[in-house]
Every structure is written in C-alpha cells, then in structure tokens.
Amino acid sequence: MLSSASNRVLTFTLQFSSSLKFSPKTHIDYRPGSLHSSIMSSASRSSPREALLDDSGCGGPITLEEWQRWGCVSPVPAMVNAVIQDLKLLENNIDAHMVFGGNGGKLQGDFKIQEDKKHRAKYETLADSDKKFQFYSARQIACRLLGSRGYLCQKCWLPMEDCMCSKVKPSSLWHGIKFWVYMHPKDFLRQNNTGKLLWQVFGVQAATLCLYGISEDEEIMWNAFKDAGFFQPSSKKREILQY
C-alpha cells in the first residue's frame, strides 16, 4: 500500500523477488480466523457457475462501467479483454463451457485442463520477464472477473447473500493524503481481501487501486508519484515508496 502526504512522508522499500514475481504457482497461506473462516465457508458452499455473457453473446468483454464498479479507476486493460476473447475462442473450439467455482473465481472441469495447456504454451513463448507477468496478471484478472459476474457484490467482493455494504460507513481522509493500494492480481476480487475497505470507506479517488502487472493501472500510479516528486522505479527493480 502506498500513500503520499503534503507535509511529512516516511519511505520504506519493498522489492519483489524475481523467483516469486513470475511464478504461476505463487501461494499465500492465510491462517484461519473467524472472518476468514466465514468467508471461506461461503466460498466452499458455492456451486460451480458458468461465465455470464453480455447481451450480444460474443464472449462478455469487460466494459468500462463494469471494470470501474469493481473499484478500478483506469481504462479497461486491453490485455484482459484479449484474454477473455481467447477464452471464448477456446470455448467454441473445444465445445466446452467456461465453469468457475470457489474462492477467487477459478476455472474448473475439462475446460480448465485445456485452457491450462494453452496458456502455459503461450507463457513460454514470452521471452521478456515483464511481458510474462503482464500476461499472467491479465489471465488471473480475466478469470476472476468472469467467474465473479452475478456472484460477488461489485463493491465489497463478497457473495451477494453475504454483502456487507450496508454496514460500511463512508468517511473522509485528511486534506492532502491519498492512498494507493498496490495489489497482486491473485488478491483481486479475493473475498477475504481487506484492502478493498480503504476505497469503500474513503472512495476510489482517496484510496486508489493499482493492480500489479496491469500497465494501464501502473502508468496512472507512477505518473501520480512522479508528479508528486517521487522516484519511479525501473521495471527490473520495483522499489516503491510507502507511507
């Protein structure tokens, strides 16, 4: 999480390990707690669900309105919609429906097996490490968006029946303070993610989401820090300033 203030700023450095950054097997183990347990229980009881298509039935690309309802402020990432188009083409070619389920909107069934082979083959053709992670991020986010349609509340990221939006009370930040929530794609739309509370409470302009590996998001965030006089890190060594 990043932030800037008009008066005093404390800086910390966070460097992403190269061994962690590009591995599609990255796993974060959360210790069970009361809130986490209730959320995971809700996720485990959810039945497999097919991706919801748009009215034209052409594969359900993400619109700007839908994208920003999830808490995003950037334009719709072009690579995310490109991944969705590839998913739809594969669905037509193998005559199998996209099916999602569980926490995180993960692909399931026969379609998952075929799609996994295809995306791994494409991943291996990308020589540049940044492009590899951008593709990995876009695929993670595309699947989570499709698998969450009509299932998760777009504001609190919880299943519709567990929506907690009515319990959140909006508030205002002090003048001159702004948060940036720099989020890993595997945390996007994660039901036990508490970072989303920042923009639920303070609004997306005061606590802005930036998805790691999404160039449209990162460009907005680093430009904002550059305009504020902060150093922008290179792609090889992502050091970030943290309040």
Side-chain angles (χ1 to χ4, degrees):
M1 180 172 64
L2 316 175
S3 71
S4 59
S6 58
N7 296 318
R8 186 175 60 182
V9 175
L10 301 179
T11 65
F12 297 88
T13 298
L14 173 64
Q15 183 173 341
F16 290 86
S17 167
S18 58
S19 62
L20 173 64
K21 175 181 176 183
F22 305 112
S23 171
K25 297 181 181 179
T26 299
H27 175 70
I28 300 176
D29 187 20
Y30 289 90
R31 294 183 179 275
S34 58
L35 176 60
H36 174 62
S37 299
S38 64
I39 292 173
M40 293 303 294
S41 175
S42 173
S44 63
R45 69 172 180 263
S46 64
S47 58
R49 51 197 180 275
E50 293 186 8
L52 298 180
L53 306 182
D54 60 4
D55 293 337
S56 63
C58 64
I62 305 301
T63 65
L64 179 62
E65 181 182 8
E66 180 182 1
W67 177 245
Q68 293 185 343
R69 279 184 177 178
W70 292 112
C72 307
V73 297
S74 67
V76 182
M79 193 175 290
V80 170
N81 269 335
V83 170
I84 291 175
Q85 185 62 28
D86 286 343
L87 289 171
K88 183 57 183 175
L89 289 174
L90 179 62
E91 188 178 48
N92 292 336
N93 291 338
I94 67 175
D95 193 27
H97 293 295
M98 285 180 272
V99 178
F100 300 85
N103 188 23
K106 297 178 181 179
L107 283 168
Q108 296 186 342
D110 294 337
F111 185 89
K112 177 186 184 301
I113 297 173
Q114 298 300 318
E115 193 277 336
D116 190 62
K117 293 178 181 178
K118 184 177 180 181
H119 102 261
R120 287 180 182 274
K122 182 172 181 178
Y123 185 87
E124 292 301 324
T125 66
L126 302 173
D128 182 84
S129 58
D130 279 348
K131 289 181 179 179
K132 282 181 180 289
F133 195 76
Q134 287 171 0
F135 172 69
Y136 168 72
S137 297
R139 178 182 173 274
Q140 282 280 331
I141 291 168
C143 289
R144 287 165 186 269
L145 288 168
L146 291 178
S148 300
R149 278 178 169 171
Y151 170 60
L152 296 184
C153 170
Q154 289 187 276
K155 291 185 177 180
C156 68
W157 297 1
L158 293 177
M160 296 292 192
E161 63 269 25
D162 298 326
C163 176
M164 59 172 287
C165 292
S166 61
K167 301 182 183 300
V168 177
K169 297 181 179 180
S171 185
S172 299
L173 280 174
W174 291 348
H175 178 71
I177 293 180
K178 178 182 176 68
F179 287 104
W180 287 90
V181 186
Y182 203 14
M183 184 178 293
H184 191 282
K186 293 186 76 170
D187 286 326
F188 182 60
L189 303 189
R190 196 179 181 98
Q191 295 164 38
N192 59 348
N193 185 332
T194 55
K196 63 196 174 188
L197 289 171
L198 281 172
W199 62 84
Q200 278 187 265
V201 173
F202 300 119
V204 295
Q205 298 304 321
T208 306
L209 172 64
C210 175
L211 291 167
Y212 184 54
I214 298 300
S215 57
E216 290 87 348
D217 277 18
E218 292 188 324
E219 182 179 3
I220 292 174
M221 185 182 73
W222 293 125
N223 284 341
F225 272 75
K226 183 179 179 181
D227 292 342
F230 290 95
F231 171 72
Q232 179 176 346
S234 67
S235 59
K236 298 298 182 182
K237 189 177 182 182
R238 293 180 181 273
E239 293 181 340
I240 58 177
L241 296 173
Q242 185 175 14
Y243 181 67

